[in-house]
Amino acid sequence: MHLNCWRELEKFGILREAPVDHVFSKFIDKDLCKQDILGMMEQHGLIAKFSVATDENQDEQRYFVPTQLRSSPSELYDIKPCECDPCPLILHFLDGFVPHGLFPQLMSKFIHWGSGNGLKKTPQLFNNGTCLFIGKPITFTLILICKKRFIKIVLKTRNPSSSKPPSINASNKMAIEVRKFIERTLNDFSRDFSWLSNLRYELSVVCTHCQQRESDLHKKTSCDQDDCLHLLQVWRGKELICSKNLSYETDPAPGWEKWFESPHSQVNTISLLS
């Protein structure tokens, strides 16, 4: 049983309650409280608690341990947002790399946050990637992929062709909630963890004009290599312009404003040159 649990931990990041009880049974006589220790680990982002309904209509307690994951998130790379969704958001870390240990911490915080946003379906976790199913009822797929110098966030409407797809307003609202949660969480990391006290990052999007140009150069349909991406910094109230696109006729990243503005908000026409 323990070997199967270890394999499940490495492949899916799932730690079931039975092996947890087995480990803590050794400390019963040493005045150590299991829930206190687990609570401390959860508070510091080492684990994320998740309840799953069993066949007996009872909740089974599981813990996700992102740092133990070994499987690749390759299947997440090809998932694209729908037309009604915002374009992927990029957390671009200015020191040239995602700080060590930050992404597993962020995954744990997202699982905890998602439990208050309709996260009932078991999330899919990978090494450097995760897929969460959020919304009430489940209407969105939230994907996080960690690369060398940035973290990519994709918010995708589930079943957009169904008879009752989520409204544009719902997609917009969820995007804003996700973005605010990310900013709040990174601010907490910078305050609570000494090794992240000088955390420097920008909210950015990929310039599709330059991405297509690189794709043509490399004879690929889509080039997403870190060094090939032209990232444009974004924030509320700015018009997005790629200085390398001299025609200025196309939006370099359609849907980026949905991370910041409601559909009825007016956007100032101030150029952002990158």
Side-chain angles (χ1 to χ4, degrees):
M1 182 188 74
H2 298 306
L3 180 58
N4 290 334
C5 288
W6 179 253
R7 288 173 177 171
E8 187 177 35
L9 182 61
E10 286 193 332
K11 186 173 182 179
F12 303 109
I14 298 175
L15 179 62
R16 297 182 182 272
E17 194 164 14
V20 172
D21 290 339
H22 173 75
V23 170
F24 279 96
S25 65
K26 302 176 181 180
F27 302 100
I28 291 179
D29 298 329
K30 297 183 179 181
D31 297 325
L32 293 176
C33 179
K34 180 184 78 172
Q35 292 304 323
D36 287 345
I37 296 176
L38 292 174
M40 185 181 302
M41 295 175 69
E42 187 176 7
Q43 180 181 357
H44 289 281
L46 300 177
I47 62 173
K49 185 165 60 177
F50 187 77
S51 297
V52 179
T54 63
D55 295 336
E56 294 78 19
N57 293 323
Q58 297 178 341
D59 285 344
E60 177 189 354
Q61 199 74 3
R62 297 180 184 177
Y63 298 93
F64 283 97
V65 191
T67 55
Q68 294 297 317
L69 290 159
R70 296 293 180 268
S71 57
S72 169
S74 56
E75 54 257 55
L76 299 182
Y77 293 149
D78 295 330
I79 298 179
K80 308 295 182 184
C82 305
E83 290 185 2
C84 62
D85 297 325
C87 67
L89 185 67
I90 304 294
L91 297 182
H92 179 210
F93 293 89
L94 302 182
D95 290 326
F97 58 91
V98 178
H100 179 71
L102 184 145
F103 188 69
Q105 293 267 353
L106 187 62
M107 290 170 67
S108 295
K109 296 298 183 184
F110 255 113
I111 294 173
H112 179 75
W113 173 82
S115 64
N117 286 274
L119 182 58
K120 300 299 182 183
K121 183 179 172 76
T122 303
Q124 297 178 9
L125 276 67
F126 306 87
N127 181 28
N128 291 326
T130 185
C131 183
L132 307 176
F133 308 98
I134 58 177
K136 300 177 181 179
I138 298 174
T139 51
F140 299 101
T141 299
L142 180 64
I143 298 165
L144 286 81
I145 299 174
C146 184
K147 304 281 279 185
K148 176 184 176 182
R149 61 186 177 97
F150 60 78
I151 296 173
K152 179 181 179 181
I153 299 101
V154 178
L155 181 66
K156 176 180 172 60
T157 299
R158 290 174 59 82
N159 301 320
S161 59
S162 63
S163 58
K164 292 184 178 179
S167 66
I168 294 177
N169 286 0
S171 177
N172 231 154
K173 181 180 178 182
M174 182 57 71
I176 293 172
E177 289 183 14
V178 169
R179 191 258 307 165
K180 287 183 176 179
F181 173 78
I182 290 172
E183 292 180 316
R184 186 167 61 249
T185 301
L186 293 183
N187 285 338
D188 291 343
F189 285 174
S190 181
R191 182 195 64 217
D192 297 338
F193 303 121
S194 59
W195 67 92
L196 297 176
S197 59
N198 295 319
L199 186 64
R200 299 190 307 132
Y201 72 94
E202 292 178 349
L203 295 178
S204 304
V205 292
V206 174
C207 175
T208 55
H209 169 77
C210 293
Q211 187 180 33
Q212 182 59 49
R213 191 168 60 180
E214 290 292 341
S215 298
D216 294 340
L217 180 64
H218 293 170
K219 307 301 180 183
K220 297 179 180 179
T221 57
S222 178
C223 186
D224 61 354
Q225 296 299 315
D226 289 14
D227 295 336
C228 291
L229 297 180
H230 179 208
L231 300 181
L232 302 173
Q233 186 183 8
V234 293
W235 64 86
R236 183 176 180 177
K238 302 293 183 180
E239 183 182 6
L240 199 64
I241 295 178
C242 170
S243 59
K244 299 180 181 180
N245 182 4
L246 301 182
S247 67
Y248 299 116
E249 294 177 354
T250 58
D251 187 341
W256 73 269
E257 70 282 351
K258 294 179 181 179
W259 291 105
F260 298 87
E261 304 284 350
S262 64
H264 304 294
S265 298
Q266 295 182 354
V267 180
N268 296 329
T269 57
I270 302 176
S271 297
L272 173 62
L273 300 178
S274 176

